[in-house]
Amino acid sequence: MLTNITGQVAVQWTTNEQAAGAEVQYGTSTGHYTGSANASFDTYTNKDMCGGEAATTGYIFPGIFNNALMKNLSANTIYFYRVGNPATGFSPEFNFTTAPADGEGPVQFLAIADLGYCETDMSLEWESDYPNSITTTPPGTLAALKVAFHNAWEGNWLSFCAAREVTNAMIADAQKGTMLVHNGDISYAQGFTYGWDVYWDMMQPLISHLPYMATQGNHERDWPNTGDRFLEENAMDSGGECGVVAEKRIPMPIPHPGQQYYTFSYGPIFFIQFSTELDFSQGSAQHDFIYRELKAVNRTIFPWLVVGFHRPYLEPSVYGNNDKSDIRNQADLQAAFDDIFFQYQVDMTWFGHTHWYTRSCPVYKRQCIPAAADGSQRAPVHLNIGNAGASFSWDVIDPALLTQDIYAAFAMQHGYMRVNATRTTLHIQAVNSLDGSLLDDYTLTKPSNWKANATVQSNFAKTFIGNFTTTWAEEYGGDAYGNSILDAAEEQIFADNSSILATLANLTTLANPVTGPTAFESFQNANPIWQALNTAFLTVAGNTTAVTSTTLYYYQKIYGPLFEMFQQFPNGIFKGPMASAPLPINPPMGVALPQAQDPANATIYNPATVVPASSSGNATATAG
């Protein structure tokens, strides 16, 4: 792990007990260690947790975390190191490469979000098989098939085993890189110490050689009445860890415990990392920190400025109607940061949360901004890199929004991002972890004499008039009626359609995870499930007593075009330089359905609605 001081690298290792003399030994030649640093110790107990499984059935003593700091390291140098103590012995030797001097390049590194953990044999991959399960469903039975299919088409957390494929691919690619950035939803342990242990076993071959920089996501932080920005009592995604576990296990250079924001530099790039789970509204401590750092960064030394966090800044998602939704959080982020990100010329933002890959155009106020005369971009490019391992968020895509120009690239395949940067280029490649092919390939450029000019940017913003209009799905939100569509289809599939059942039973995507691939390792494996779902829904769509007019209307607006797009782009790359064809502006339905009317009683979702601050517990954030 890096700190916010150049020439420092922190290392952490776990032992069963605290041992005197624990240290890291390091040097620039294999087997010869000219430097050493004593370790400090840390851990947590179930009493440090905020509730849920983290404080009860999921807790196992996590061990003692040994933390040591290597200082005064030379730039762009390979260091060899080992950890342990003279009394009990040392680990095998590892190595890493330090970054170039501040402002210098080139650098190459990897970036991800939303990874997760998976056993080597891919066991315990369904959520119902988590360690606190009381009953299990025998593999191969109809009941097991129903559970597997339900998880697959509804986008539940059926599998994180794509994470192992992605990790293996990154390990193979790591020889070209010198750092890993992980922007939230790290292990998905969600209160189970076991999950963290498996995660570190999976990641150790990678992050023992690459400094690992992370931000917390909802699955590390959120728990009711603990200070996160969500008022809903079901904001329980951390399983009771409430940020404590991730902060202990991945100590970042934050100002104080619980303040999950920090900066660091890497060659020609300056990074600002913050938490979308804590209050970031104007006037908050976190917003003040970000604003100060934006103004203070020396762009002569660091021509590139990247801001990282977890929840999406700009996404083609229909998930709305509550304070945790994508629609609401995008509106909140844009209200807080659009102006200052533009004024201080942030080059890119990297985030996750929805599980796909997206790249926007250089955008301000949800509108593409042309490049400057020197070829440099004037507005941030927003990238969702949440395709690392968690199951695809296929059921919240807005097809109409995806066709708009602000989205330059979109893909649903698991993978990671490879980054190459010099002082004049910032080159990103989205890599498909299964075969190494590219999902996207994009480069930002700047002249060698480029200078930031906040005054010019601010003056432009004062006279800018945007013309972006929201889509129907953004206004109404599609998640609630989407569940009705999926429920209707599931009932049809498992009621009397033996041919569909037989097809599903033979799909390798639903095979025993120990002996076959899982549904969400690739778009190609998952697509047959979605097409079976579509077929089943169409079977019952003509029966207005089985499907309400409102449900049918949502299908015609969102899911029908979505399934049609899935058929037209079977490689999972819908937009961008790697797409096989342009995305149709109005994807055809391909089937005639009864005419449905715009639901008169549907509630328009207003993302700008201000939610009152909570007065319970120690919560200090608002969601507005």
Side-chain angles (χ1 to χ4, degrees):
M1 294 164 287
L2 303 175
T3 73
N4 50 18
I5 300 176
T6 302
Q8 294 186 353
V9 172
V11 60
Q12 183 186 86
W13 67 99
T14 305
T15 54
N16 289 328
E17 57 188 18
Q18 182 172 320
E23 64 178 359
V24 57
Q25 298 178 345
Y26 57 95
T28 56
S29 300
T30 179
H32 298 281
Y33 310 111
T34 57
S36 65
N38 294 329
S40 61
F41 305 101
D42 204 355
T43 190
Y44 60 87
T45 72
N46 59 336
K47 292 182 173 56
D48 297 314
M49 303 294 97
C50 294
E53 291 85 359
T56 55
T57 56
Y59 179 79
I60 305 170
F61 175 60
I64 299 297
F65 306 136
N66 299 250
N67 297 293
L69 183 62
M70 294 175 276
K71 300 179 180 180
N72 301 316
L73 304 179
S74 299
N76 203 24
T77 302
I78 297 175
Y79 278 87
F80 301 87
Y81 73 98
R82 63 180 186 175
V83 298
N85 68 78
T88 59
F90 287 86
S91 70
E93 183 180 81
F94 305 101
N95 65 77
F96 64 92
T97 302
T98 56
D102 281 350
E104 298 301 316
V107 293
Q108 178 166 308
F109 58 94
L110 311 177
I112 56 172
D114 299 81
L115 185 61
Y117 73 89
C118 179
E119 292 275 11
T120 304
D121 62 0
M122 297 187 178
S123 61
L124 292 175
E125 64 164 335
W126 302 99
E127 187 165 76
S128 58
D129 291 332
Y130 268 18
N132 66 338
S133 295
I134 298 175
T135 60
T136 58
T137 308
T141 64
L142 178 61
L145 181 63
K146 287 183 177 181
V147 170
F149 184 72
H150 181 86
N151 276 280
W153 59 252
E154 199 171 53
N156 285 350
W157 310 115
L158 82 165
S159 168
F160 297 104
C161 281
R164 185 165 287 278
E165 300 292 340
V166 172
T167 303
N168 290 339
M170 289 193 294
I171 291 170
D173 207 1
Q175 60 184 341
K176 307 171 189 175
T178 51
M179 179 178 66
L180 175 62
V181 176
H182 191 161
N183 283 344
D185 283 7
I186 299 167
S187 72
Y188 286 89
Q190 299 173 115
F192 292 98
T193 306
Y194 152 85
W196 281 105
D197 289 344
V198 175
Y199 180 78
W200 292 128
D201 286 343
M202 181 182 79
M203 292 289 284
Q204 189 265 352
L206 179 66
I207 59 176
S208 58
H209 297 280
L210 301 181
Y212 184 41
M213 304 303 291
T215 59
Q216 293 192 17
N218 52 304
H219 288 284
E220 287 77 51
R221 178 60 187 84
D222 294 356
W223 191 256
N225 303 317
T226 62
D228 63 49
R229 64 186 296 268
F230 305 107
L231 306 183
E232 290 198 349
E233 289 301 311
N234 65 349
M236 305 171 72
D237 296 344
S238 74
E241 293 180 3
C242 59
V244 174
V245 175
E247 197 167 292
K248 298 279 189 180
R249 289 182 176 270
I250 316 173
M252 292 290 100
I254 59 177
H256 300 286
Q259 295 180 337
Q260 288 296 323
Y261 42 88
Y262 62 94
T263 65
F264 70 100
S265 61
Y266 205 73
I269 308 176
F270 191 84
F271 289 88
I272 300 175
Q273 303 284 94
F274 75 93
S275 173
T276 51
E277 311 314 297
L278 305 177
D279 186 9
F280 54 73
S281 61
Q282 293 185 29
S284 66
Q286 189 166 218
H287 189 278
D288 290 347
F289 171 85
I290 296 166
Y291 186 47
R292 287 195 305 270
E293 293 296 327
L294 287 172
K295 290 193 298 182
V297 59
N298 187 332
R299 300 304 293 274
T300 301
I301 298 176
F302 303 107
W304 301 110
L305 178 55
V306 174
V307 181
F309 41 91
H310 179 62
R311 290 183 186 258
Y313 197 96
L314 187 67
E315 277 291 79
S317 172
V318 299
Y319 175 42
N321 302 320
N322 65 67
D323 71 336
K324 297 190 302 176
S325 72
D326 299 336
I327 295 174
R328 177 57 181 269
N329 278 273
Q330 288 181 76
D332 291 345
L333 282 163
Q334 292 163 21
F337 298 115
D338 256 10
D339 288 332
I340 60 175
F341 282 0
F342 183 78
Q343 179 179 1
Y344 293 103
Q345 294 173 270
V346 169
D347 294 292
M348 285 184 173
T349 71
W350 300 347
F351 48 83
H353 191 65
T354 43
H355 306 150
W356 52 50
Y357 171 83
T358 312
R359 171 174 57 83
S360 78
C361 64
V363 63
Y364 175 61
K365 300 295 185 184
R366 302 190 72 172
Q367 187 167 318
C368 295
I369 302 298
D374 63 5
S376 63
Q377 298 297 342
R378 300 189 62 186
V381 173
H382 303 289
L383 293 107
N384 184 326
I385 53 174
N387 61 328
S391 56
F392 297 132
S393 302
W394 70 271
D395 56 338
V396 295
I397 300 172
D398 180 355
L401 191 58
L402 184 57
T403 63
Q404 296 184 357
D405 290 342
I406 56 174
Y407 298 103
F410 183 88
M412 276 207 302
Q413 292 285 15
H414 287 299
Y416 58 94
M417 187 165 73
R418 183 189 298 134
V419 185
N420 290 270
T422 68
R423 289 191 57 81
T424 57
T425 60
L426 180 56
H427 179 206
I428 63 97
Q429 294 177 312
V431 182
N432 184 336
S433 60
L434 288 182
D435 60 10
S437 62
L438 297 184
L439 307 175
D440 189 25
D441 195 335
Y442 180 70
T443 303
L444 290 176
T445 62
K446 292 180 178 180
S448 58
N449 61 348
W450 179 86
K451 294 184 183 299
N453 194 323
T455 301
V456 170
Q457 293 287 105
S458 180
N459 290 338
F460 175 90
K462 290 176 183 177
T463 59
F464 177 80
I465 300 176
N467 60 4
F468 181 87
T469 57
T470 58
T471 66
W472 179 90
E474 281 186 293
E475 293 180 348
Y476 285 91
D479 49 303
Y481 288 102
N483 289 336
S484 299
I485 292 170
L486 301 178
D487 290 342
E490 185 186 31
E491 291 175 8
Q492 170 64 20
I493 287 172
F494 292 112
D496 54 15
N497 198 322
S498 58
S499 61
I500 292 180
L501 274 177
T503 300
L504 293 175
N506 290 327
L507 285 175
T508 58
T509 55
L510 295 177
N512 185 328
V514 176
T515 59
T518 59
F520 279 75
E521 285 178 358
S522 73
F523 178 85
Q524 291 89 335
N525 279 352
N527 202 21
I529 297 177
W530 298 325
Q531 297 308 324
L533 166 65
N534 191 36
T535 299
F537 182 81
L538 293 175
T539 302
V540 297
N543 183 348
T544 55
T545 61
V547 179
T548 67
S549 179
T550 300
T551 297
L552 184 58
Y553 192 81
Y554 271 78
Y555 179 87
Q556 292 174 329
K557 282 284 187 179
I558 302 173
Y559 290 93
L562 191 62
F563 291 129
E564 187 72 24
M565 285 166 48
F566 288 172
Q567 287 184 317
Q568 291 181 17
F569 297 90
N571 65 352
I573 304 175
F574 299 96
K575 249 186 140 175
M578 305 303 165
S580 58
L583 186 67
I585 294 177
N586 294 301
M589 286 293 299
V591 65
L593 290 174
Q595 183 62 38
Q597 300 298 316
D598 190 341
N601 61 343
T603 301
I604 294 180
Y605 178 62
N606 179 9
T609 301
V610 177
V611 178
S614 172
S615 59
S616 57
N618 62 344
T620 59
T622 67

